[in-house]
Every structure is written in structure tokens, then in C-alpha cells.
Amino acid sequence: MGTRDETHETSGALLALKNTYLKTLKHTNETINYGMIQMSGGDLNMDYSQERTFFKGHCIEYDTIDIFQMLVDVALEPRSVLAANVARSKNRKVQDLHHHLHKYDPFSQNSELLLRTAYGYNTLGMPRLGLEHNIDNIDARLLQQFVMDNITPSKCLIVASGVKNHREFVDLVKERLGELLPVPEHLYQRTPAQYIGGEYRTWTETPQTNITLAFQSTPWNHEDTAAFHVINTLIGNSNQSLRNRAHARVRTSNFVDEVQSINNHFTDNGLFGISVTGAGSHSQDLLNVALEELANLRNNVSDQELARAKNTLKMNVLLTFERQEDRLEEIAHNYMTHRDLNFHTYTEQVERVTSQDIQRVASKVLQGKPTLVVTGGAINLVPTITDVQRQLQ
């Protein structure tokens, strides 16, 4: 469950829950929760994305039972009237801070604008911080109904590491949650995300222009997902590596400041594209750079470049597993998405990707309707989406 499951009536509910997740009443309260976290030498937090909500905590072994009970309370307990009032106030302050910081980074909203342009004001296009005009509609009744509909025991996946006795932990979960299917729940059916594409332009008082060009790709479980991961590494991010196409483009084009690939996969949809930032006086040239980099994917990729991209991809995956907390989260995500995917099977999928696969996938994706997001001070210099389609034919 994530922001894609919010509606125009419940938009901002997840942010409200995050802002008040320690305000429990059943077994503890906010003061006790803070004290328990400090005494356990651990941590507890909540976060969410477009499709997932995480409640995460860690502690010393002695406090496992107490911390797990608190985790259950903060995740499943309906919010009170007092908590809802606090949530409204905090949501508004978060929005105000977001607007203030945006003045110093005019491109900070581009990733969200891309999703909103690609999918509209629903499902994957719902804003992470919620619709600002809906803040006053957030009350205890709305939050309680949202929790009852979306955050329930049968929709939970519970994973743990460092547990010495698995049977004891399973018994603890059953004791605190009951058997996982005892309580009748509301029928849950996720609304499918519909890609619509289009273009969106935002004028900002800056000498730079950012152009983001993306196309509909594949969901997580599609057979071409590994190929998109390799392509994403092939182009890469000019700020993160010296051995990718993005950095080579910045090095050879003096009007380009940053290039990075975009690769987003979701349960039932996906986006692939490229983002280019540079001098506003060369806005049309920036679009040509984006088009050239995408079009070059239709050409043959040398064995050396392909091998380097695969090795970089595998190394990046391994680097994300350095911390125990990250490994645990990845296990949960993989289980919910793939059921049986692990690093070894993923490596095999990556190794099977060929230059022909990249050419085929790129050619197919570039035939679709683009999503064009332009931000900067010279947005009128950038050709329209119709011109983009014509140039890619």
C-alpha cells in the first residue's frame, strides 16, 4: 500500500500517519514510545513510496517483545481525534517547507511532475505529500477508515533478522496479531495504473533548463525488466560514475551540466527515459542530446561496454546490501514482488541480456507515446511532444 492507493478524498493520509505514527493509545502513548526506543538502544520509523509502506524498527534482543508490540500499535492502531489534529498541522508545515526549499532547487519536483504527467492525478501520479487543498479534510474518521481499508494484518508482511528462535518469533507475531485471517476485512482491489503520457512545462527563474523525456516500459515481473536495468546502468548518471554514456556526454558537450537515466518499475506499469540539465540558451540542443542518447540504444552495444554495464549493475546491487537493515528491506520487497527472486537468480537474468535484447527493448519503447517535462527559464525553446515523436520515428 502506497500513495497510489490514496484517492482525492484520502490524499495526504500516509503523510498524516507518518507525522503521527508514535501517537498510540492502546498499550502506550507517545512519551512512553520515545522512552522505549531510547532505552532499547534502537530505532523505529515509518516511510512509504508509491506502492509500499514500511514500519521498521531495531533493538537489542532483550526488548524484542516490547518493541514488536509497539510496532504493531503504531502500524495498526487507528488515529485519535488529537492525533488527526496534529497531523493536519504537521502536513501543512511539511507543505510549507517543501515550497520554501523548492525556491532554492527549481528542479526538485521534476520526478513527481514526471509521474503526474505520465499517469495523471491518480494511482502512480498521486503526489507524495498529498494534495495541498485536501489537508483540512484529514480528520480522525478519514484516518481510521484509511487504516481499516489499507493497513490490516492480512496485508502485512513481517520479516526479521537476528532472531535466534524462529518458532518463538512466529508465536509472538500470532499472539500480538492473532492468526492472520481471523477478522473480516474490506475487499481490496488496487486500481490499475493507466499510462497517458503528454507534456508539462514549468517556467522558473533560472539560467538552466531541465528536460525529462520518458516512455512507458514494463512492470516488475516482466521478462524485459533485467534488460531495462542494464540499459539504465549503460546510460547511468553523470554525477556518479566516469564510465557511462551520461558522463561521456557531459564531457563532450559544454552546454550539458548533468545527464541521468530514468528507470522506474511498478507492480503493473513502468517508465523509462532520460533527464538532461544544461544551459537554458541551448534548450533545443538539450532535447537533441536526450533524443540522441535514446536513439543510440537502437545501435549495437560492444561486448566490452555491455560487460562493464553488467558488472557495474551487480556491484551496485551488492553495495545496497551492506547494511543489515537494507538487506532485510530488500528481502521483504523481493518477496512481495517476485516471491522467489534472489541475487543469484537476478545475476543470471542480467547475464542473459544481450546487445540484441537492448536494441529490441529500446526500439519497442521508443515507438510509444512520450512524456515530456520541461523546467527552466527557456522552456519555449524546447520543441513540442509532436516534434519529439517525429524525430524518433
Side-chain angles (χ1 to χ4, degrees), residues 1 6 10 13-14 17 142-150:
M1 186 271 300
E6 293 182 341
T10 61
L14 280 170
L17 293 176
L142 183 148
L143 293 180
Q144 290 168 9
Q145 189 65 47
F146 187 81
V147 170
M148 290 172 59
D149 289 343
N150 296 284

Side-chain angles (χ1 to χ4, degrees), residues 344-360:
H344 301 291
T345 56
Y346 177 71
T347 299
E348 293 172 359
Q349 293 177 10
V350 170
E351 286 298 332
R352 286 197 295 267
V353 175
T354 65
S355 176
Q356 290 73 29
D357 290 330
I358 292 176
Q359 291 174 275
R360 173 182 55 81

Side-chain angles (χ1 to χ4, degrees), residues 57-73:
H58 66 268
C59 63
I60 60 176
E61 183 182 4
Y62 179 82
D63 293 316
T64 300
I65 294 177
D66 292 334
I67 293 297
F68 182 75
Q69 178 63 67
M70 184 170 65
L71 194 64
V72 172
D73 287 344

